Amino acid sequence: MPSAFAGVAEATAAGATEAAAAGARHWDNLFELPTLFYAACLTAFVLGGVTMWTLAFAWAFAALRIAQSAVHMTYNNPAHRGIFFSLGVVAALALKPGDVVADIGAG
């Protein structure tokens, strides 16, 4: 006769496996867009083009990534997560190195 708790153990194992898979997908997502962010920040720093706007967009990007992570790891609403992702992309693109080089040339 099967145990009364066999279904509970299987459901718990399936839930743990899904949680581990979600965590792994989340970890992978954290390394896709930030590489552009790191390159833009490093370029601004090396070329001496760090301005108030550079810092504002960099902190905005970091805050938006934290918000996106919080949504992804809690209730995972794709619409809400997408808003934070899109705003993060805008903040990262605002850091593009071409602007830094133009600022240095103008200054």
Side-chain angles (χ1 to χ4, degrees), residues 52-65:
M52 178 193 66
W53 287 109
T54 306
L55 294 174
F57 286 126
W59 278 110
F61 176 81
L64 290 164
R65 289 300 287 189

Side-chain angles (χ1 to χ4, degrees), residues 8-107:
V8 173
E10 290 172 3
T12 303
T17 303
E18 177 56 33
R25 286 191 306 268
H26 177 70
W27 185 255
D28 289 341
N29 289 339
L30 287 176
F31 289 102
E32 292 171 352
L33 181 61
T35 54
L36 300 174
F37 169 74
Y38 300 145
C41 288
L42 185 61
T43 301
F45 176 74
V46 169
L47 296 177
V50 177
T51 65
M52 178 193 66
W53 287 109
T54 306
L55 294 174
F57 286 126
W59 278 110
F61 176 81
L64 290 164
R65 289 300 287 189
I66 291 169
Q68 180 190 359
S69 293
V71 170
H72 191 206
M73 294 309 294
T74 56
Y75 64 96
N76 197 20
N77 182 323
H80 296 163
R81 199 174 78 214
I83 290 169
F84 291 122
F85 176 79
S86 299
L87 292 172
V89 168
V90 169
L93 290 176
L95 292 169
K96 63 185 182 200
D99 291 342
V100 172
V101 173
D103 288 343
I104 293 169

